[in-house]
Amino acid sequence: MNLPEDFKKKYTRLLGQEATDFFNSFETVHQKGYRVNPLKANPVPHETPNDGKVPYGQWGYFGAVDGHSKDHVTGVVYSQEPSAQFVGEVAAPKPGEKVLDLAAAPGGKSTHLAAFMMQKGLLWSNEIFMSRAKILSENIERMGVKNAIVSSQTPAELSARLPLFFDKILLDAPCSGEGMFRKDPDAMTYWHSDYPAENAKRQREILHETVKMLRPGGELIYSTCTFAPEEDEQMIAWLLDTYPEFELLPIDKPINSGISDGRPEWADSDFVSGVTTTSQTQNRSELLKTARLWPHRLNGEGHFVAKLVKRAKVVEPIETVIKKLKPAELNRDQQQLIDDFWKSTFQQFDIENRQFLLFGDRLFLAPEVTPDLNGLKILRPGLEIGSFKKNRFEPAHALALAVSPSQVKQQFNLVDQDWADYAHGDVISTDEPLSKGWILMVVNGNGAGWGKFVNGQIKNFLPKGLRFAVRV
């Protein structure tokens, strides 16, 4: 791999004898990985190879995911680079918490957080760029996440609306991407010697807004996919110096995982740039609590992770004025349609503490403790239930991916040719004794979409944009 010359000079100086192994790692094939999704009724892959367990975390495996496999289509697996999986494991939110993933696209880390939360609490997944936010929303849907809000806002817009709101915030910061050079060589075309410093400036701006949204006692997880000290140790040192209420927490680095401590000496910018030969920060031992993932030390790409807690400045509780969500008021006809749908389609469906929300004719179940969303660019305000059509209610694809087959009154198991027909968008003929109405189409014990049974045929309601020809 033809690495930039300034990149090689920099890390030859910083890594010393270790530099040879580091550079040699770029000539090896990057390791692919995936996570199994515990939110599914049957979270067991059937077609995805198991090339071994990732040495940290409970759901991670090595192996390549086929984007048209049943495992992928039904959200049983999420393709995610092994090192990136460590970030979610460090965050490890608890069910019931309010969690923000501030720069969340394409969704690997958000769906990992959702796995820990087990559909309880509020997961707010944000992506500033709308095109990427749409991909994020699609992945949240595919994985069957019920308690997520997906937005497309700037950090400043969110911090103005949600001060001191979240229990936990993950900032997987936009960065110089050095850790992805092997996986994505095109990332090298953007790199130049000042690129890490340019990214660090933007990261400080984002962190300035991020800290405003974290409650006292809450945790901030900061991560990058770069080796650059300017964006890693130097960023954490700056954060601790600028916001003294923050304190680093230790990160568990499992034995034999290959995960390394952070490098305190690299918090000195003059030392990193080569202006001086002795670091003035080598005694900042708290930076050893951060984690570095190096491609020459483990099966994965480059990552950096830090975990911090925001200590309370005052003893008394801080009151913030955050408007609560106003639930939708369904008219009589809408209420009748949704009541009929529940009764005819489901054996059980627990709304719990969630509230109905209408976006036009689309009905959602908003997560508990959802604040007022008025004026925000929201792509997904919770679980989409379906849409009100003329004199009928049509269930959403998201609902099929989020419910268990045991919850519905009628299901149809898709095997072999039936699966190929359904994935292609075709009508399925069947002799099964089904009743007229909505059918959950099931693959390997998990919902794959909806069908509607009429006169011996199941009409296909798989969204047109998700249809494909199954390879035989």
Side-chain angles (χ1 to χ4, degrees):
M1 181 173 286
N2 191 20
L3 294 166
E5 282 302 315
D6 285 342
F7 177 86
K8 289 192 287 188
K9 290 178 182 177
K10 177 179 182 179
Y11 289 103
T12 296
R13 182 176 68 251
L14 290 176
L15 290 173
Q17 293 181 343
E18 199 176 347
T20 300
D21 290 340
F22 173 63
F23 293 129
N24 286 342
S25 72
F26 289 91
E27 304 303 323
T28 60
V29 177
H30 80 273
Q31 178 70 61
K32 294 183 178 181
Y34 63 91
R35 289 188 343 270
V36 172
N37 181 10
L39 303 181
K40 291 295 175 174
N42 183 29
V44 179
H46 284 71
E47 302 167 308
T48 310
N50 178 354
D51 295 338
K53 194 86 170 59
V54 172
Y56 36 84
Q58 51 193 309
W59 302 299
Y61 294 86
F62 295 109
V65 172
D66 179 349
H68 283 162
S69 67
K70 298 170 188 174
D71 293 340
H72 180 270
V73 171
T74 59
V76 171
V77 297
Y78 191 103
S79 178
Q80 188 179 33
E81 190 274 312
S83 290
Q85 296 181 27
F86 185 63
V87 179
E89 292 295 328
V90 172
K94 298 179 178 65
E97 288 187 322
K98 292 178 288 186
V99 180
L100 170 63
D101 187 357
L102 185 54
K109 295 177 177 69
S110 272
T111 55
H112 198 171
L113 300 178
F116 280 100
M117 297 176 74
M118 296 306 293
Q119 313 286 25
K120 304 289 185 182
L122 168 63
L123 173 61
W124 192 303
S125 300
N126 181 73
E127 170 56 47
I128 187 173
F129 298 107
M130 181 58 75
S131 60
R132 286 170 54 80
K134 290 177 180 178
I135 297 170
L136 167 65
S137 184
E138 290 168 359
N139 281 323
I140 291 285
E141 174 177 285
R142 183 173 60 85
M143 301 301 277
V145 180
K146 300 177 184 177
N147 62 325
I149 290 172
V150 179
S151 66
S152 182
Q153 306 287 155
T154 67
E157 289 167 343
L158 281 184
S159 68
R161 290 287 294 267
L162 300 169
L164 306 177
F165 183 73
F166 293 101
D167 301 306
K168 191 163 287 186
I169 299 178
L170 167 60
L171 174 58
D172 185 40
C175 69
S176 57
E178 294 174 357
M180 294 295 114
F181 284 178
R182 180 172 64 172
K183 179 183 176 185
D184 180 18
D186 287 343
M188 287 188 292
T189 62
Y190 303 103
W191 194 92
H192 52 84
S193 58
D194 294 327
Y195 196 43
E198 292 172 4
N199 278 276
K201 180 178 182 296
R202 178 170 54 166
Q203 290 156 2
R204 286 190 289 270
E205 293 169 353
I206 296 172
L207 281 167
H208 178 65
E209 302 300 333
T210 303
V211 300
K212 298 176 184 177
M213 293 183 276
L214 189 65
R215 68 163 176 82
E219 292 180 358
L220 168 64
I221 293 84
Y222 173 86
S223 65
T224 71
C225 58
T226 186
F227 308 112
E230 297 91 335
E231 305 171 70
D232 295 344
E233 287 88 354
Q234 289 176 33
M235 189 57 54
I236 298 305
W238 168 85
L239 181 64
L240 294 171
D241 293 343
T242 307
Y243 299 97
E245 66 269 29
F246 278 88
E247 176 185 322
L248 274 168
L249 294 174
I251 292 174
D252 182 35
K253 299 152 188 163
I255 297 173
N256 299 324
S257 68
I259 299 171
S260 310
D261 294 338
R263 310 257 180 139
E265 66 274 18
W266 290 359
D268 183 341
S269 59
D270 286 342
F271 175 73
V272 167
S273 62
V275 173
T276 61
T277 57
T278 303
S279 172
Q280 300 301 308
T281 61
Q282 54 191 352
N283 292 325
R284 294 196 66 164
S285 58
E286 73 271 22
L287 293 173
L288 293 169
K289 295 177 181 178
T290 64
R292 277 187 169 271
L293 290 82
W294 296 95
H296 61 289
R297 291 190 173 188
L298 47 72
N299 275 331
E301 306 310 297
H303 258 75
F304 174 86
V305 190
K307 185 176 186 179
L308 306 100
V309 63
K310 184 180 185 181
R311 300 300 185 192
K313 289 183 179 178
V314 291
V315 176
E316 65 270 15
I318 303 172
E319 292 187 9
T320 57
V321 181
I322 298 177
K323 291 183 180 180
K324 294 182 179 180
L325 177 71
K326 184 179 180 181
E329 296 181 2
L330 303 183
N331 63 39
R332 187 174 63 180
D333 290 341
Q334 290 172 329
Q335 190 64 58
Q336 186 62 55
L337 286 172
I338 190 65
D339 287 345
D340 290 346
F341 170 71
W342 293 134
K343 185 177 180 180
S344 63
T345 309
F346 282 87
Q347 312 231 41
Q348 58 170 354
F349 189 90
D350 191 358
I351 294 175
E352 299 175 330
N353 296 322
R354 299 175 176 131
Q355 297 174 312
F356 282 127
L357 189 62
L358 270 176
F359 268 37
D361 292 329
R362 299 166 68 195
L363 183 67
F364 290 81
L365 266 181
E368 52 188 317
V369 304
T370 296
D372 175 43
L373 303 176
N374 188 43
L376 295 173
K377 295 191 286 286
I378 303 294
L379 290 80
R380 185 173 299 274
L383 174 62
E384 185 173 5
I385 302 299
S387 301
F388 290 105
K389 308 289 186 179
K390 188 176 181 180
N391 299 323
R392 62 188 175 89
F393 183 80
E394 185 174 302
H397 184 63
L399 183 62
L401 294 169
V403 300
S404 168
S406 64
Q407 293 177 266
V408 299
K409 290 187 174 180
Q410 299 193 101
Q411 59 179 276
F412 185 85
N413 289 305
L414 295 165
V415 294
D416 303 330
Q417 189 58 47
D418 285 337
W419 162 245
D421 290 342
Y422 185 74
H424 193 253
D426 301 334
V427 171
I428 295 175
S429 298
T430 179
D431 295 328
E432 289 197 18
L434 299 170
S435 300
K436 182 179 179 180
W438 293 106
I439 312 292
L440 182 66
M441 311 302 281
V442 175
V443 176
N444 294 333
N446 296 297
W450 292 104
K452 195 169 189 180
F453 181 75
V454 181
N455 298 327
Q457 290 188 324
I458 301 176
K459 185 178 178 182
N460 198 318
F461 278 80
L462 185 67
K464 291 182 179 179
L466 298 178
R467 297 176 182 181
F468 62 95
V470 174
R471 294 189 294 270
V472 179

